[in-house]
Amino acid sequence: MSTSISPLATPFPEMTTIAGVTLRVARARYKEWERTDLTFVELAPGTTVAGVLTQSKCPSPEVEWCRKALVLGEARALVVNAGNSNAFTGNRGREAVEAIAAQTAQALGCRPSDVFVASTGVIGVPLPIDKAQAGLAAAFVAPEADWRAAAETIGTTDTYPKGASATAVVDGRTITIAAIIKGSGMIAPDMATMLGFIFTDAAVEAPFLQAALSAANTRTFSCITVDGDTSTSDTVLAFATGAAGNTPLSGDESDGADAFRAALADVCRQLALLVVRDGEGATKLIEITVEGAESDRSAHRIAMSIANSPLVKTAIAGEDANWGRVVMAVGKAGEPAERDRLAIRFGATQVAEGGLAVTGYDEAPVAAHLKGQEVEIGVDLGLGDGRATVWTCDLTHGYISINADYRS
């Protein structure tokens, strides 16, 4: 964790334990630092799992391992390493993942495929097997940790720990969802965002858990961007222990399925926004809503074009009401748009419509809006019913400083 906390940071929430989930942290010393950097989560027998993973064509061995293990839909453990992504490391990287899974499986008496592994940090350096094994041995006998300790342990350039929770009534029983996430840079996930782990005591069959997570992801993790760069390691995993004792959710017809979907989506949205608030060097959270597009997909692509524009992001950082940069980003998206139907607003102030600045446009309220920590940009294409909302942050000198010095 960075010692300089993001000005957009929010306090770590109060989060209850999840029956069937045991958290432990340890020092594997993947880097020269005096902090925990290995998180071990033991899951009760019968736990189901679902996940969304990076679309990068250069994924880490951990991503490849999880992708295969998810097919079985069962989980007994999660191991997360911080400080070394183990990506682009060839056979040595794969051997490290296999060694971690084997050691954990032996300790728990389960299959290696029941062990999920994730790593985050510098790309191109093989994860040292000896340090991983020593860290795991220490974690197995470590005292139980709380959610905050687990969230701090998985962080890298994060400036604050991130967690979220929600409850829902399912089959007459109150179920709880608790989750932690790490992410600050290299955020443009397409399917997931850096490393996020969601746990619930609800009983949920794996196929329905996957359907619910994928649906939630579409409107949360896949709607955030910090810098337009998709990580080699992006992973979000959801684990359901079944300890709440409800009749297992098997589909949308199950009692409480809608409530579970809503609670899961709420947690995912909370996590996604926490990541954007911790964007490297960020000073402003930016919400971009595009409506009037030919389709939701088209609206999403236009919104992400705006969100990923360095010119838009630096204008917001400088509190400059330069709406022409938004016009540029709409036009370059490659989606249907007509200049003379386009309307743009900043906050509640309409700044342009019909291809022109609005008559009597007064920049003062826009300038005042841009001085805040939360900025809204709205675009109406006037073409159809398509709509999307995405979130990003401004681009400052801080982003350059963090990433220029990342390996030192």
Side-chain angles (χ1 to χ4, degrees):
M1 291 286 174
S2 170
T3 56
S4 179
I5 299 175
S6 167
L8 305 176
T10 60
F12 195 83
E14 293 291 331
M15 292 167 55
T16 61
T17 58
I18 299 292
V21 177
T22 303
L23 308 170
R24 292 186 171 88
V25 298
R27 289 183 180 177
R29 303 187 185 277
Y30 292 122
K31 295 178 68 175
E32 294 299 322
W33 52 20
E34 291 302 316
R35 49 157 283 188
T36 54
D37 53 8
L38 186 149
T39 297
F40 168 62
V41 184
E42 182 177 351
L43 303 163
T47 296
T48 57
V49 61
V52 286
L53 303 159
T54 184
Q55 291 190 49
S56 170
K57 301 303 181 183
C58 299
S60 69
E62 285 83 347
V63 167
E64 293 175 324
W65 177 273
C66 289
R67 187 169 282 133
K68 292 179 180 177
L70 281 168
V71 174
L72 301 176
E74 300 175 2
R76 284 297 315 282
L78 168 69
V79 178
V80 187
N81 306 296
N84 183 317
S85 76
N86 195 38
F88 212 73
T89 52
N91 287 331
R92 291 177 62 187
R94 284 186 282 274
E95 289 168 0
V97 176
E98 291 169 358
I100 289 170
Q103 183 178 353
T104 306
Q106 183 176 22
L108 298 180
C110 66
R111 301 171 300 183
S113 58
D114 293 334
V115 179
F116 288 77
V117 186
S119 301
T120 178
V122 174
I123 293 171
V125 179
L127 190 76
I129 295 177
D130 57 341
K131 291 184 177 181
Q133 292 177 324
L136 271 175
F140 292 155
V141 297
E144 290 189 26
D146 59 17
W147 292 111
R148 183 186 181 100
E152 290 175 337
T153 298
I154 67 174
T156 49
T157 59
D158 303 62
T159 72
Y160 65 96
K162 306 171 182 68
S165 63
T167 59
V169 176
V170 174
D171 189 31
R173 299 172 185 266
T174 298
I175 65 94
T176 302
I177 302 174
I180 57 175
I181 199 165
K182 67 85 54 184
S184 186
M186 206 181 288
I187 304 294
D190 297 324
M191 283 195 69
T193 180
M194 296 307 292
L195 303 184
F197 307 106
I198 303 166
F199 306 89
T200 180
D201 55 6
V204 190
E205 292 184 5
F208 180 68
L209 184 61
Q210 184 63 59
L213 179 61
S214 294
N217 164 74
T218 298
R219 295 192 178 276
T220 58
F221 300 123
S222 286
C223 291
I224 64 171
T225 179
V226 167
D227 45 24
D229 287 334
T230 297
S231 171
T232 58
S233 307
D234 291 340
T235 299
V236 172
L237 298 172
F239 303 93
T241 69
N246 61 285
T247 301
L249 296 173
S250 59
D252 287 320
E253 72 286 350
S254 298
D255 185 12
D258 287 346
F260 177 77
R261 276 186 178 268
L264 180 61
D266 176 38
V267 167
C268 290
R269 187 179 187 276
Q270 292 182 59
L271 294 176
L273 290 181
L274 287 171
V275 171
V276 178
R277 285 181 172 276
D278 203 16
E280 291 169 344
T283 65
K284 299 180 187 295
L285 173 69
I286 308 169
E287 180 178 280
I288 301 165
T289 298
V290 173
E291 56 189 355
E294 287 196 348
S295 66
D296 289 348
R297 178 181 179 277
S298 181
H300 177 81
R301 288 175 62 89
I302 292 170
M304 291 299 278
S305 177
I306 299 168
N308 281 322
S309 167
L311 288 176
V312 172
K313 291 157 70 72
T314 51
I316 301 302
E319 300 175 355
D320 178 13
N322 190 342
W323 54 269
R325 294 184 177 182
V326 177
V327 175
M328 173 278 300
V330 171
K332 75 168 185 175
E335 292 295 316
E338 293 184 21
R339 180 197 60 209
D340 295 341
R341 293 191 180 188
L342 187 64
I344 299 170
R345 65 173 175 82
F346 280 72
T349 303
Q350 198 74 26
V351 301
E353 58 186 0
L356 299 168
V358 298
T359 302
Y361 168 55
D362 180 5
E363 193 169 291
V366 177
H369 178 66
L370 294 179
K371 289 185 180 299
Q373 290 188 332
E374 298 186 6
V375 174
E376 296 179 14
I377 298 174
V379 172
D380 190 337
L381 296 167
L383 299 177
D385 298 324
R387 191 180 190 282
T389 298
V390 306
W391 297 270
T392 189
C393 57
D394 55 343
L395 180 59
T396 70
H397 292 289
Y399 181 87
I400 298 171
S401 298
I402 291 168
N403 285 284
D405 298 335
Y406 183 61
R407 294 201 304 164
S408 58

